[in-house]
Amino acid sequence: MTASPRPRRRGRRRSRALGDAAAARRLGTLSLGALGIVFGDIGTSPLYAFRESFEGAGHELAVTDQNVLGVLSLIFWSLLLVIAVKYLAFVMRADNDGEGGILALTALVTPPGTVRQRRWLLVLVGLFGTALLYGDGMITPAISVLSAVEGTEVATSRTEPFVVPAAVVILAAVFAVQRRGTGAVGRLFGPVIVVWFVVLGLLGAIEMARAPDVIDAVAPIHAVRLFSENGVTGFLVLGSVFLVVTGGEALFADMGHFGRLPIAVAWYGLVLPGLLLNYFGQGALLLSQPEAIDNPFYRLAPGWALVPLVVLATAASVIASQALISGAFSLTHQAAQLGYVPRMRIEHTSARERGQVYVPAVNWALMLACIGLVLGFRSSTSLAAAYGVAVTMTMGITTLIFYVVVRERLGWTRATAGTVCGLFLVVDLAFFGANIPKIPHGGWFPLVAAAVVFTLLTTWHTGRRLVAQRLRAGRETLGDLAAELAENPHPRVPGTAVYLFSLAGSTPPALRTNLELQGTLRERVIVLSVETGDVPKVQPVYRLKIQDLGCGIHQARLRLGFMDRPDIPAELRFELGDTDDFTYVLGSEAITVTDQHGMAPWRERLFKIMHRNAASPADYFDLPFDRTFTVAKHIEL
């Protein structure tokens, strides 16, 4: 008798159900983590954005019913057009194999070869957008924490002397926990931010129930009237309204940590409803109490709830710092792999989720910058004047690069790409124009910070290119070396020596020096060049290619993505088996600044300093220190 197939089908259904349940749990976990990392910046904007729209730097808008509805209308449509439509619906679909951020987007339009040479201007624009994001990352934690702690002044003015010291202590603690990793921090902060968005929605909904007419602000006609009735002041209001969407670019940069779907689930399921309810609640409050403009967010709360709300807002502000901090880590990792910053210590903090990294040098540099901003500006209102200029420029640059990506990579027609990107660019330029008056009031800071970062990025990349040219000038091919060894054999000793050299197919100076000084070679010599591609990840089976050139000389090429961890012993072990007896030889350049054609002397000196302070190649490539040797070569720039 044959057995019935039904149990097998039930088993398959059960397995499928278990798989679906596991996928749902993982989506829920990632969405919760995304709440704790990605949406902190956007989520704490209600603390100051609505107030600054009426009392921002360079403008003062009367608190009238029509103006309140006009500002609310601008906020509503800004959240939809910039976050929901531009980033979630369009830009985040043009990911680089799951990785986001302006640098990953730039890599999509600069493939290797001659195209890269024709796109130098586009690369520079993308790099400047990256530098602007670093400038923004310095301001976000400072303004978020300051605005939260300032809530204590609503209860009593006696807390005013303690606001700045408390903000400094909180910021120091925020950066101290970063070493735990993005995933751990997200799981820690996720539940808190859930409570935060729920409270945002409840506070706003209660106030809206008292003035339901405020929902009329959804109609864009109120935004049009705001502009027509207030002239230049109405346009300048956009500079403060932009504060509600400043986290959009960081959201894109953080995509590699969690993925687009978990971020979208968190946005539509909790973030957007909580934000809209709170902003409309603040508007409803001003319709009946215009004097509440001094701090409309905290005025929403009843007296008994003020202190708990300050505590919750402070916790949410700590979380707000995460979006830009983790985004800066991702950008730095990408920049290091693409050759725009020196090698530095980068720790991968998750074995399951790619892209979760911690960069100590960036972490502590951001901490010092944030604390310096708090001590310098001393209030969220002053910092708000510095906020927005850099982000608006970054968003505009993202739109320009996105146009090239959708035309060349996604196959959009010129009309479709031009229409969509043209709409986005109009919004970006409007926000940017409204933020220009902020520059004298503090908006200069992120621009100066971005200029410094941009100088470092381009100086390092150009300097490495010049060093490669100097090395290439007198290079000897590996084929020539193999022919020389065939004609004039040298004594060989047992074992394998791996020489790392960036110029594939060339003889490393360290190998030639070793041969001339010692007159011997290992039985097997592998010359390994590491190439970082424009894709985030390369599958292990496609990474390492080894070619036997004869006489024990092998050329190996290791191709990595810009989000791959460069672990050379592991890569060799995957291809060759046991590597315990391998020795590794590194070349090191001793840089001397000369009057040869290259960079300006001050940039060459800057490159020399950066080169001297770069992380050890042995540490960067995970080489065993007890079997790694370094041979120096003098290079004149």
Side-chain angles (χ1 to χ4, degrees), residues 478 481-482 485 491-500 506-508 510-512 514-515 520-528 546-556 572 576 582-583 585:
L478 277 177
L481 176 64
L485 293 175
R492 312 297 281 259
V493 295
T496 299
V498 179
Y499 289 80
L500 272 71
S506 300
T507 301
L511 174 55
R512 173 53 67 181
N514 182 73
L515 188 60
T520 62
L521 288 176
R522 294 279 185 170
E523 288 180 338
R524 180 168 60 176
V525 173
I526 299 176
V527 178
L528 176 64
I546 300 178
Q547 179 183 5
D548 187 351
L549 302 179
C551 293
I553 305 298
H554 300 77
Q555 169 68 64
L572 292 172
L576 302 174
F582 284 20
T583 58
V585 184

Side-chain angles (χ1 to χ4, degrees), residues 378-403:
R378 306 192 71 82
S379 74
S380 62
T381 297
S382 298
L383 269 174
Y387 204 22
V389 177
V391 197
T392 54
M393 294 179 70
T394 307
M395 287 185 171
I397 291 171
T398 296
T399 300
L400 294 175
I401 299 176
F402 177 72
Y403 171 83

Side-chain angles (χ1 to χ4, degrees), residues 46-47 50-51 150-157 203-204 206-207 210 278 281-286 288-306 309-310:
L47 287 166
F50 197 73
R51 177 193 70 209
E150 285 169 352
T152 58
E153 298 177 17
V154 176
T156 171
S157 60
L203 290 174
I206 291 171
E207 195 63 40
R210 298 171 183 155
N278 193 266
Q282 291 186 47
L285 176 65
L286 292 187
S288 59
Q289 302 178 43
E291 67 278 6
I293 190 58
D294 65 324
N295 205 321
F297 174 79
Y298 282 109
R299 298 293 182 191
L300 286 175
W304 61 267
L306 187 58
L309 183 59
V310 170

Side-chain angles (χ1 to χ4, degrees), residues 97-114:
D97 195 21
E99 297 298 333
I102 191 169
L103 199 56
L105 197 65
T106 302
L108 283 174
V109 297
T110 55
T114 56

Side-chain angles (χ1 to χ4, degrees), residues 1-325:
M1 178 182 295
T2 39
S4 170
R6 291 180 181 175
R8 191 175 301 167
R9 285 202 297 269
R10 283 199 298 269
R12 284 198 295 267
R13 285 196 296 269
R14 189 182 300 112
S15 299
R16 192 181 305 116
L18 290 173
D20 292 343
R25 284 195 300 271
R26 185 168 181 272
L27 177 61
T29 301
L30 289 175
S31 297
L32 180 64
L35 280 170
I37 298 294
V38 175
F39 292 110
D41 187 5
I42 296 175
T44 52
S45 295
L47 287 166
Y48 50 84
F50 197 73
R51 177 193 70 209
E52 294 301 319
S53 297
F54 289 88
E55 299 182 342
H59 75 271
E60 187 168 341
L61 188 66
V63 185
T64 64
D65 289 0
Q66 182 54 52
N67 285 343
V68 168
L69 294 178
V71 169
L72 283 177
S73 184
L74 287 174
I75 290 174
F76 175 81
W77 289 104
S78 295
L79 285 169
L80 288 186
L81 288 175
V82 176
I83 305 300
V85 177
K86 177 180 176 178
Y87 282 96
L88 283 174
F90 286 95
V91 175
M92 290 180 71
R93 292 186 182 275
D95 63 285
N96 195 332
D97 195 21
E99 297 298 333
I102 191 169
L103 199 56
L105 197 65
T106 302
L108 283 174
V109 297
T110 55
T114 56
V115 176
R116 183 184 296 275
Q117 300 303 319
R118 296 198 303 268
R119 294 282 174 91
W120 63 271
L121 180 59
L122 193 61
V123 172
L124 289 179
V125 169
L127 284 178
F128 188 65
T130 301
L132 287 167
L133 203 56
Y134 280 103
D136 178 45
M138 299 173 187
I139 298 179
T140 296
I143 190 174
S144 299
V145 172
L146 259 180
S147 60
V149 180
E150 285 169 352
T152 58
E153 298 177 17
V154 176
T156 171
S157 60
R158 288 180 295 180
T159 62
E160 183 178 354
F162 305 101
V163 168
V164 171
V168 169
V169 171
I170 292 169
L171 283 170
V174 169
F175 286 97
V177 302
Q178 295 303 316
R179 67 182 64 207
R180 298 186 59 181
T182 304
V185 172
R187 288 190 297 272
L188 177 67
F189 288 163
V192 177
I193 207 72
V194 168
V195 174
W196 170 251
F197 280 114
V198 170
V199 170
L200 283 183
L202 285 175
L203 290 174
I206 291 171
E207 195 63 40
M208 286 180 66
R210 298 171 183 155
D213 290 347
V214 74
I215 198 67
D216 291 345
V218 171
I221 187 62
H222 293 289
V224 175
R225 288 174 179 168
L226 176 72
F227 293 138
S228 63
E229 294 178 6
N230 292 279
V232 175
T233 299
F235 176 72
L236 294 180
V237 167
L238 275 177
S240 296
V241 168
F242 181 73
L243 295 173
V244 307
V245 296
T246 50
E249 194 64 34
L251 179 148
F252 181 38
D254 282 328
M255 183 171 65
H257 290 264
F258 302 100
R260 177 181 171 275
L261 182 57
I263 291 174
V265 169
W267 169 257
Y268 289 109
L270 186 61
V271 178
L272 181 60
L275 290 176
L276 290 178
L277 286 171
N278 193 266
Y279 283 125
F280 275 71
Q282 291 186 47
L285 176 65
L286 292 187
L287 290 178
S288 59
Q289 302 178 43
E291 67 278 6
I293 190 58
D294 65 324
N295 205 321
F297 174 79
Y298 282 109
R299 298 293 182 191
L300 286 175
W304 61 267
L306 187 58
V307 173
L309 183 59
V310 170
V311 173
L312 179 60
T314 303
S317 298
V318 168
I319 296 166
S321 309
Q322 283 304 128
L324 268 298
I325 293 172

Side-chain angles (χ1 to χ4, degrees), residues 357-429:
V357 294
Y358 167 64
V359 187
V362 173
N363 186 63
W364 303 124
L366 284 177
M367 184 191 76
L368 293 176
C370 290
I371 291 176
L373 285 169
V374 169
L375 295 176
F377 285 86
R378 306 192 71 82
S379 74
S380 62
T381 297
S382 298
L383 269 174
Y387 204 22
V389 177
V391 197
T392 54
M393 294 179 70
T394 307
M395 287 185 171
I397 291 171
T398 296
T399 300
L400 294 175
I401 299 176
F402 177 72
Y403 171 83
V404 180
V405 171
V406 296
R407 287 278 293 126
E408 297 184 353
R409 294 297 183 104
L410 303 185
W412 287 21
T413 64
R414 184 170 298 163
T416 302
T419 300
V420 173
C421 295
L423 173 62
F424 295 157
L425 196 59
V426 167
V427 175
D428 295 334
L429 291 178

